[in-house]
Amino acid sequence: MLSELLDHVPQLWEHLPSSSLSVLLGTSSALRQKVHDYVSKVSGTMPAQDISVLVHGLPDTYPQLTSLQLTIHSAAAILKVAHARLPLLENLDLTNSNLTGAGIRILSQGRWPKLKTLNLAVNKIANDGVSHLRTTEWPSLSSINLSDNRFGGSAIRLLLCCKWPALQTLCLSNNSLDYDWGELPVSTEWPQLRELVVNRCELSHQAARALSKPMWSHLETLDLCDNDLCDSAVRELVQAPWPLLKSLSLSDNHLQTEGVSFLITASWPMMEQMYLMNIDLAEAALGQLCKAKWPSLKRLEIGQTKMKFGLETISHLINAQWPLLEHLSLRSSVLTATDVVTQLSKGEWPLLKTLQVSARLEVRAASQLVLGNWPLLQVLMGTFIDVDEQVVHTLTTGKWPRLKELHVDLRPCPMWELPNVVSWQAVEHLCESMCRQKWPGLEVLNIPSAQDMRVRMERDDLELGYNIMM
């Protein structure tokens, strides 16, 4: 029996629960050595979900291990990880391991000179744990995720004292960081920081003022969505010296028309992605946004459930000087009229790859949409209302040879307006169109169907999704 086990160590390692392996390791020195020899040769991720395999009898040195993903449940296990000799360890993932400040105090003793990525999300580190991170010696650390850790407001001040000279990405999502940001130091120990994610952190205009200081001048990506930012916060942000800023998310904040008027004054020549979802903007404000001088803009997501894009707004949009636009999302309640859809189809975006719209499409409007000259279009997502078979038939005439995904949804729509449901015949028509290689690269088709039926397709590589509506 033992000899058979020795011949199948890799299979045991990958498929047996760690507790079972621990029992085996405790009873056989030969098997323990065999497992150790196997792990020592691995250059990749250790396929275990619990640290008990390390705790029960394995030696402390794994010279080839570069990635470790574990779930920790005991102080002894934390101590084992902290003291393990892992000279090539680059990635350590301890997500949802019930780590507290005491656990971080032990973990901070780890000496991993090559460590680049550390994921500590969904734990209970709190401010006490953050204070212990200041003592770490991880000179190669470039990314740390501290989301969902019950931080208080002063955590950001403690973090700024951590000496991580190679840090490029810091994620602090879903922590309470509403703190007097005016007390922050004037510089950080992160000269290479490029990405800061602080969404759902209860930030106000004081945080915006602090972020506009020169200490953050190297930022390329800033995620501020779902906070308590208002127009005055935007006024602070546009004064920031961010010559390298490429992506900014302000979705789910309290911005209004005045905030947009501040945005278009910002000097962000490298801006590529702008997210303004679920904010209360008047149609006039959208027209102002289209005047923004972002020549490198590639992605724009804008809209909310009460918003209606009229003809004037769409006219401004198609005249905006964004020649590199690749992704356009206009998620509103409706595009208010057929002539608005007609105007949208005139947009000259030769690099457009993804178009997401909400529109009250009738046959005439659909026939205009498919005239869009977007030869590189790969994804078309529409939350359509009043869709019938003829509309679906019209969509199949779109000249988009590179189309990979087509998503046709009937929601959201007003509760008092019951949408039509595309019939099974319409679904078959789409499938026949694809079988004729109309869209030879199509990989995903999401379309509402009146019946839960299997599609008889000649192509096995097509992923089909249905929103079943009876």
Side-chain angles (χ1 to χ4, degrees), residues 135-405:
T135 65
T136 57
E137 295 182 9
W138 301 326
S140 300
L141 188 69
S142 63
S143 175
I144 185 169
N145 188 343
L146 295 167
S147 301
D148 295 277
N149 265 292
R150 306 183 181 183
F151 290 163
S154 60
I156 186 66
R157 177 174 55 83
L158 296 172
L159 278 171
L160 287 171
C161 297
C162 296
K163 296 181 180 181
W164 300 325
L167 190 68
Q168 296 186 21
T169 301
L170 174 63
C171 183
L172 301 172
S173 301
N174 205 24
N175 289 295
S176 180
L177 298 180
D178 187 17
Y179 172 75
D180 187 1
W181 286 60
E183 297 183 11
L184 297 183
V186 296
S187 63
T188 73
E189 300 288 343
W190 315 324
Q192 300 185 51
L193 188 68
R194 297 292 184 269
E195 180 177 4
L196 178 62
V197 181
V198 282
N199 57 312
R200 302 189 306 277
C201 289
E202 304 177 10
L203 301 184
S204 63
H205 73 281
Q206 290 185 350
R209 178 179 302 172
L211 289 171
S212 65
K213 294 181 178 179
M215 61 189 288
W216 308 98
S217 61
H218 297 293
L219 282 179
E220 296 181 3
T221 299
L222 179 58
D223 187 347
L224 292 167
C225 74
D226 203 0
N227 280 294
D228 296 324
L229 303 179
C230 55
D231 292 345
S232 61
V234 178
R235 181 169 54 192
E236 300 288 348
L237 291 175
V238 298
Q239 300 177 31
W242 296 330
L244 304 178
L245 191 66
K246 296 181 180 179
S247 178
L248 176 63
S249 177
L250 294 171
S251 298
D252 295 283
N253 279 289
H254 307 304
L255 309 188
Q256 296 184 355
T257 302
E258 186 178 18
V260 173
S261 66
F262 292 139
L263 266 183
I264 64 175
T265 66
S267 178
W268 300 326
M270 305 295 290
M271 180 62 66
E272 295 182 358
Q273 302 180 18
M274 178 64 69
Y275 301 88
L276 295 169
M277 294 300 304
N278 298 323
I279 55 179
D280 188 15
L281 294 182
E283 190 170 346
L286 299 177
Q288 287 187 352
L289 184 67
C290 296
K291 299 177 183 178
K293 296 180 180 180
W294 301 326
S296 300
L297 191 69
K298 295 181 179 180
R299 186 185 189 104
L300 176 64
E301 294 195 13
I302 189 168
Q304 49 116 345
T305 54
K306 297 180 180 179
M307 188 176 295
K308 295 185 178 182
F309 292 104
L311 184 61
E312 182 178 357
T313 301
I314 299 299
S315 297
H316 286 303
L317 179 63
I318 66 174
N319 290 321
Q321 299 301 308
W322 302 328
L324 302 181
L325 194 65
E326 295 181 358
H327 181 111
L328 177 61
S329 178
L330 303 175
R331 284 176 279 180
S332 68
S333 58
V334 288
L335 293 179
T336 54
T338 299
D339 55 351
V340 174
V341 180
T342 302
Q343 189 75 349
L344 180 65
S345 68
K346 298 178 182 178
E348 295 183 3
W349 304 307
L351 302 180
L352 191 68
K353 296 179 180 179
T354 300
L355 177 63
Q356 183 173 2
V357 296
S358 300
R360 187 183 300 276
L361 283 183
E362 298 174 351
V363 176
R364 187 162 63 92
S367 64
Q368 294 299 313
L369 184 63
V370 297
L371 294 178
N373 184 22
W374 309 311
L376 300 183
L377 192 68
Q378 297 180 6
V379 180
L380 177 60
M381 306 177 70
T383 307
F384 300 140
I385 302 174
D386 298 337
V387 178
D388 58 19
E389 293 179 33
Q390 196 169 1
V391 169
V392 176
H393 174 82
T394 303
L395 287 175
T396 65
T397 64
K399 297 180 180 179
W400 306 310
R402 300 193 181 189
L403 195 69
K404 293 183 177 181
E405 298 184 24

Side-chain angles (χ1 to χ4, degrees), residues 38-62:
Y38 169 69
V39 175
S40 298
K41 296 177 181 178
V42 171
S43 179
T45 302
M46 181 180 289
Q49 291 302 313
D50 192 275
I51 195 64
S52 56
V53 174
L54 288 174
V55 174
H56 289 270
L58 283 179
D60 294 333
T61 301
Y62 303 91

Side-chain angles (χ1 to χ4, degrees), residues 89-92 112-118 138 140-144 166-167:
L89 185 67
E90 295 182 358
N91 307 300
L92 179 58
W112 306 308
K114 300 290 186 180
L115 186 66
K116 294 181 179 179
T117 302
L118 177 61
W138 301 326
S140 300
L141 188 69
S142 63
S143 175
I144 185 169
L167 190 68

